[in-house]
DNA sequence: CCGCATCCGGGGCGATACTG
DNA sequence: CAGTATCGCCCCGGATGCGG
């Protein structure tokens, strides 16, 4: 294992999670929970399959990831974060904070996008304004990638995939959807930038953040 | 420039600061302030000089580092963080937090140590218990690397080098000094572990943290 | 299909030498 | 003092193969 050879906490941390792709593997496991190998590959477009296997081995040995064989009938391997791995959440959160301004200019020509990458930025700003009312569900399609928002316990969380009977549907470019969910633009500005919006407007205004000036 | 090609804030951040050595360069500039090239080399033992030059170029183009030619009589180049670069402080802080547990087992056989690597961990826990009393200075020598603590405005900050007339002197292995300054062990335990302690005991107890159980 | 292992080409990285 | 030049090597990226 390659190390910096420095008796410094930052260097020691980077010895374990500083390699290329490593923190992105952790990002996937934090955003989606326990994952199969194939799910990870899908959430890490561009990674070579041998590298993913390498990183999972390294992370397992570092005590960050644990591997469990799911029993039949599933009969697959599930990768999940250990408690030590979940403690990397603040690191990822601050990296996300620092990187958010870079998202405003939109994706590069051949950037890929995945719905789960909205989970953290969204739940950082979204709250349920009427926690005692019946829960609502909002389907989101950003660049065609499906996810849905659900109110629960005063907060809002995002799940990858399609909801059964959503109260509203938001559809548009990832940049616009992300700007809306993170409070950088409001519904009117989003609509002007290409957001399609169907269903219950009240449900939307219940969870969407107030846009703040930048 | 190599990118992950993902429209995700974390990936965009790592595109800029995820390369090997990059965050450690930022660590040095955060801990020491504006630095000369040679200072950086000394604070980054193990880095190849061409890599340091590369990283500084990349960081400059990313808007993280700025380069300024100091006027005569100094006549040298100073590298410093831009405001955007200083916003990486929370990322480094969380990385440090996560890496701290890895420091308890002490340095690896050929780990190097530099005094400025104590600056962040120390100032995270140290406070001046008597902010209205005259300021005190404590010389620290960890593995022979000199630095000194000064009280100022209710806080304590660490500077690399030697103080003129310190009120007390602490000398010992880096692991012990670090454990003491971060409140993992108390003065008695540190003394038992090889810490030498001279000078005004009252000054020490004024700034040292209460040890907490781990 | 899922979870890799193997092979191979290119370039990032590491060490040393050298220079204005 | 602040880099550039050079040269291996191994990490990384991409493709393919392969056992369960």
């Amino acid at each position: 294992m390659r190390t910096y050879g420095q008796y410094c906490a930052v260097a020691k941390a980077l010895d374990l999670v500083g390699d290329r792709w490593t923190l992105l593997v952790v990002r996937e496991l934090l955003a989606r929970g326990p994952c199969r190998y194939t799910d990870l590959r899908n959430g890490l477009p561009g990674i070579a399959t041998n590298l993913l296997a390498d990183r999972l081995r390294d992370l397992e040995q570092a005590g960050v990831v644990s591997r469990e064989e799911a029993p039949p009938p599933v009969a697959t391997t599930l990768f999940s974060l250990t408690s030590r791995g979940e403690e990397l959440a603040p690191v990822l959160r601050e990296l996300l904070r620092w990187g958010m301004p870079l998202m405003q200019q939109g994706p590069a020509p051949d950037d890929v996008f995945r719905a789960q990458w909205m989970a953290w930025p969204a739940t950082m700003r979204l709250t349920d304004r009427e926690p005692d009312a019946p829960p609502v569900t909002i389907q989101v399609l950003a660049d065609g990638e499906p996810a849905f928002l659900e109110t629960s316990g005063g907060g809002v969380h995002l799940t990858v995939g399609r909801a059964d009977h959503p109260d509203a549907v938001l559809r548009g470019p990832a940049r616009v959807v992300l700007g809306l969910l993170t409070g950088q633009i409001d519904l009117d500005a989003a609509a002007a930038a290409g957001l399609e919006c169907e269903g219950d407007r009240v449900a939307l205004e219940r969870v969407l953040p107030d846009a703040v000036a930048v």
Side-chain angles (χ1 to χ4, degrees), chain A residues 1 12-19 21-30 33-34 40 54-68 78-89 91-92:
Chain A
M1 176 188 133
K12 292 291 179 197
L14 291 175
D15 280 341
L16 296 184
V17 297
D19 276 348
W21 290 106
T22 303
L23 280 175
L24 294 185
V25 173
V26 177
R27 172 199 70 185
E28 284 301 301
L29 291 171
L30 275 171
L40 289 172
D54 283 352
R55 293 296 177 262
L56 287 171
R57 234 191 319 270
D58 297 343
L59 286 172
E60 197 181 356
Q61 197 194 343
V64 173
V65 160
S66 76
R67 167 194 319 248
E68 24 184 331
L78 280 185
F79 297 91
S80 52
L81 291 173
T82 64
S83 62
R84 175 80 177 140
E86 285 172 0
E87 288 170 13
L88 280 168
V91 175
L92 272 291

Side-chain angles (χ1 to χ4, degrees), chain A residues 136-141 162 165-172 177 180 187 191 194-205 207-208:
Chain A
V136 294
T137 304
I138 298 172
Q139 180 74 56
V140 177
L141 287 121
R162 294 181 188 276
H165 300 290
D167 300 281
V169 179
L170 297 174
R171 190 191 337 258
V177 173
L180 179 67
L187 256 176
L195 186 82
E196 295 173 42
C197 180
E198 300 167 14
D200 184 359
R201 188 85 173 206
V202 176
L204 285 176
E205 281 163 0
V207 301
L208 289 183

